[in-house]
């Protein structure tokens, strides 16, 4: 339905619950956790959230898993189906880091939306291309049929 420009009421990929789930996904959480942040102010910080949480080396799987748990505790994600919004709150000891982390979440959602739209546009382009080819084939068949009819009419008239 969406390829024909019609809204699909059963689509779950644009619901607030979908985006809340996306924000809480392991891939997004890991990306946010492993991003290099740099905040300045009364208390500056430069590094990943694994380092901020004091969990050891970045390449340690255990440190990353513990970091994801800590990040989940620092983040509050909610959705309201009735008004169609997703809420995101990030709380750390550094307000500037909280803002940077929230912005990273939003950047990742925007990247996802861009990839999804590009993929959807490609699928729509392919669909329209197939429809165009079918229409050309039907037109060619109709022209050949008409040409045959005209040829037989000329032969009949002579």
């Amino acid at each position: 339905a969406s390829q024909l420009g019609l809204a699909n009421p059963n689509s779950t990929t644009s619901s607030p619950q979908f985006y809340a789930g996306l924000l809480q996904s392991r891939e997004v959480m890991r990306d946010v956790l492993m991003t290099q942040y740099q905040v300045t102010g009364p208390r500056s910080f430069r590094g990943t959230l694994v380092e901020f949480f004091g969990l050891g080396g970045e390449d340690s799987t255990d440190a990353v898993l513990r970091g994801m748990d800590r990040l989940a505790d620092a983040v509050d994600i909610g959705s309201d189906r009735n008004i169609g919004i997703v809420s995101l709150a990030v709380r750390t000891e550094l307000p500037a880091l909280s803002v940077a982390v929230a912005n990273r979440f939003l950047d990742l959602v925007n990247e996802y939306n861009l990839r999804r739209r590009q993929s959807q546009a490609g699928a729509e382009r392919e669909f329209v291309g197939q429809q165009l080819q079918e229409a050309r084939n039907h037109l060619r068949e109709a022209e050949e049929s008409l040409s045959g009819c005209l040829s037989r009419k000329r032969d009949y008239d002579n």
Side-chain angles (χ1 to χ4, degrees):
S2 65
Q3 288 182 344
L4 298 174
L6 304 173
N8 184 355
N10 297 323
S11 175
T12 58
T13 58
S14 60
S15 71
Q17 293 78 14
F18 171 80
Y19 283 104
L22 177 65
L23 289 168
Q24 295 170 345
S25 70
R26 291 180 65 87
E27 293 80 13
V28 169
M29 294 289 273
R30 186 178 191 294
D31 194 307
V32 169
L33 184 71
M34 301 308 293
T35 295
Q36 289 285 328
Y37 298 95
Q38 181 172 350
V39 295
T40 57
R43 190 168 152 217
S44 298
F45 171 76
R46 180 186 173 112
T48 67
L49 292 177
V50 170
E51 295 166 331
F52 179 77
F53 294 140
L55 300 174
E58 285 184 34
D59 56 353
S60 164
T61 302
D62 184 53
V64 171
L65 292 175
R66 287 184 291 137
M68 289 175 71
D69 288 340
R70 293 282 301 272
L71 179 57
D73 291 341
V75 173
D76 183 27
I77 299 169
S79 63
D80 188 324
R81 170 179 260 157
N82 294 332
I83 56 176
I85 64 165
V86 177
S87 61
L88 169 68
V90 180
R91 290 175 197 84
T92 67
E93 298 167 7
L94 302 176
L97 181 60
S98 297
V99 170
V101 170
N103 285 334
R104 182 64 182 143
F105 272 108
L106 296 177
D107 289 344
L108 291 170
V109 169
N110 286 334
E111 288 174 21
Y112 168 80
N113 280 334
L114 178 62
R115 283 193 311 270
R116 189 181 87 200
R117 285 189 182 123
Q118 287 172 340
S119 174
Q120 183 178 5
E124 288 174 1
R125 211 174 14 257
E126 184 178 333
F127 175 77
V128 169
Q130 290 171 352
Q131 295 296 314
L132 178 61
Q133 188 58 44
E134 285 180 27
R136 284 180 177 155
N137 291 341
H138 289 302
L139 177 60
R140 185 174 52 254
E141 290 170 5
E143 287 173 340
E144 288 172 1
S145 177
L146 179 60
S147 177
C149 286
L150 291 175
S151 177
R152 283 191 298 277
K153 184 175 180 330
R154 269 187 252 132
D155 290 343
Y156 179 76
D157 289 341
N158 289 333

